Amino acid sequence: QVRLVESGGGSVQPGGSLRLSCVAFGIIFRLYTMNWYRQAPGKQRELVAAITVGGTTNYEDSVKGRFTISRDNAKSAVYLQMNSLKPGDTADYYCNAPPLPIGPQREYWGQGTQVTVSS
């Protein structure tokens, strides 16, 4: 059974930091681009960061310079280091493994972890 298990969310004051983790079970992790999405109350889910198989990273403009996505294929894990957090970062954060270009066209999601930034 495929599972993406997230951890690391919590409440922090503006300017604080959190590190989210997502550990994948049941997929050949190294073959997948991995994404972090977030969804704030009343808002659409948005892509925050992505990391390719080769380690290339991309970020949504509002988090660029503050967030860092990384992966550890040996641990089947993807991380999101979030620094200089702002209230606008408050959301549920989801890791995501999008469908591979070939093979079974399956997409996987973590259960979500809450990030709250407030004073």
Side-chain angles (χ1 to χ4, degrees):
Q1 170 127 359
V2 175
R3 290 176 293 137
L4 304 182
V5 181
E6 300 179 31
S7 62
S11 296
V12 68
Q13 294 187 15
S17 296
L18 287 171
R19 183 166 126 116
L20 306 183
S21 297
C22 173
V23 180
F25 301 86
I27 63 171
I28 305 175
F29 182 83
R30 71 180 191 277
L31 301 182
Y32 284 81
T33 286
M34 295 297 298
N35 303 314
W36 284 98
Y37 284 80
R38 68 186 180 189
Q39 188 167 24
K43 299 290 198 72
Q44 284 191 279
R45 188 171 298 181
E46 67 174 349
L47 179 64
V48 175
I51 184 165
T52 69
V53 166
T56 300
T57 59
N58 287 284
Y59 300 93
E60 197 273 327
D61 286 342
S62 70
V63 310
K64 197 169 298 181
R66 300 187 297 122
F67 290 11
T68 303
I69 188 172
S70 61
R71 67 191 297 157
D72 184 342
N73 289 341
K75 296 180 178 178
S76 295
V78 61
Y79 308 99
L80 188 67
Q81 178 67 47
M82 304 184 294
N83 299 326
S84 302
L85 282 161
K86 304 174 180 180
D89 297 319
T90 295
D92 289 331
Y93 283 72
Y94 301 87
C95 63
N96 163 255
L100 296 172
I102 58 173
Q105 297 298 291
R106 301 285 189 266
E107 185 174 31
Y108 307 104
W109 292 89
Q111 81 279 10
T113 185
Q114 174 69 47
V115 171
T116 301
V117 186
S118 66
S119 56

